[in-house]
């Protein structure tokens, strides 16, 4: 049997089988399901680069979409449709930038950055490794993961 109790703070508490449940819990569960579903759809639309392949653009998009999704889930003061509108707007911006980066080298350099040569003719370019804020150990580990055991 379900009954409702209005508390002094204006919140409605529901009692289900003798257990009191805050009405916001149900809303947060629904918002969480909605946020997760939306993020899965957005991830499918934008593609799925691995973490090691994230560009600056991908990183910013990931962090921002995560923050918006967290707001959708936990900030019950915000209207669901406002957050969904922000999520969709940001997704469109990210998708357009991704599309333009595929079509234009100049935009691709701005969005993804320029590639840096780390090994040339079997020689490790330590200056470029430092510019990329990598260590020699990290480079060697990455090479081993690609089944490259000899730098030359």
């Amino acid at each position: 049997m379900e009954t409702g109790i209005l508390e002094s703070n204006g919140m409605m508490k529901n009692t289900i089988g003798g257990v009191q449940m805050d009405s916001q819990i149900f809303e947060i569960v629904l918002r969480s399901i909605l946020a997760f579903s939306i993020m899965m759809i957005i991830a499918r639309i934008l593609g799925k680069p691995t973490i090691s392949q994230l560009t600056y653009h991908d990183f910013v998009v990931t962090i921002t979409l995560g923050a918006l999704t967290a707001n959708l889930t936990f900030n019950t003061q915000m209207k669901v449709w406002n957050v969904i509108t922000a999520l969709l707007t940001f997704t469109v911006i990210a998708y357009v930038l991704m599309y333009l980066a595929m079509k234009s080298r100049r935009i691709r350099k701005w969005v993804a950055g320029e590639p840096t040569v780390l090994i040339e003719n079997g020689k490790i370019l330590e200056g470029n490794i430092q510019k990329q804020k990598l260590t020699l150990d990290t480079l060697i580990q990455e090479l081993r993961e690609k089944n490259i055991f000899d730098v030359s």
Side-chain angles (χ1 to χ4, degrees):
M1 175 183 266
E2 182 177 322
T3 60
I5 302 168
L6 185 60
E7 293 188 331
S8 60
N9 64 2
M11 296 298 299
M12 179 66 96
K13 288 261 188 182
N14 293 322
T15 305
I16 300 175
V19 178
Q20 288 189 348
M21 294 183 59
D22 192 298
S23 62
Q24 281 190 323
I25 290 174
F26 184 69
E27 181 181 356
I28 289 172
V29 168
L30 286 178
R31 283 173 168 249
S32 297
I33 292 168
L34 179 64
F36 181 80
S37 301
I38 289 171
M39 285 306 298
M40 290 300 290
I41 292 167
I42 290 171
R44 290 283 185 188
I45 291 170
L46 294 179
K48 52 180 181 180
T50 62
I51 291 174
S52 65
Q53 295 173 334
L54 285 179
T55 63
Y56 300 123
H57 168 260
D58 296 327
F59 179 73
V60 169
V61 168
T62 303
I63 296 298
T64 305
L65 289 175
L68 288 170
T69 305
N71 269 313
L72 174 61
T73 302
F74 295 111
N75 192 344
T76 57
Q77 303 300 316
M78 294 180 77
K79 294 179 181 172
V80 172
W81 286 110
N82 289 348
V83 180
I84 290 175
T85 301
L87 274 168
L88 293 176
T89 301
F90 204 83
T91 301
V92 168
I93 291 168
Y95 187 82
V96 167
L97 267 177
M98 185 177 63
Y99 177 80
L100 291 174
M102 287 190 307
K103 298 294 181 185
S104 167
R105 184 171 176 81
R106 174 186 265 174
I107 293 174
R108 184 169 45 252
K109 284 171 62 175
W110 180 74
V111 169
E114 290 189 61
T116 303
V117 176
L118 301 178
I119 301 173
E120 189 172 52
N121 297 326
K123 290 193 171 206
I124 296 175
L125 305 176
E126 291 185 33
N128 287 353
I129 290 176
Q130 290 173 351
K131 286 180 189 175
Q132 295 301 310
K133 296 176 179 56
L134 294 173
T135 65
L136 187 57
D137 293 334
T138 305
L139 175 63
I140 291 171
Q141 178 183 346
E142 291 288 328
L143 290 170
R144 286 182 181 150
E145 288 177 9
K146 300 289 184 187
N147 292 324
I148 301 171
F149 299 98
D150 184 12
V151 176
S152 61

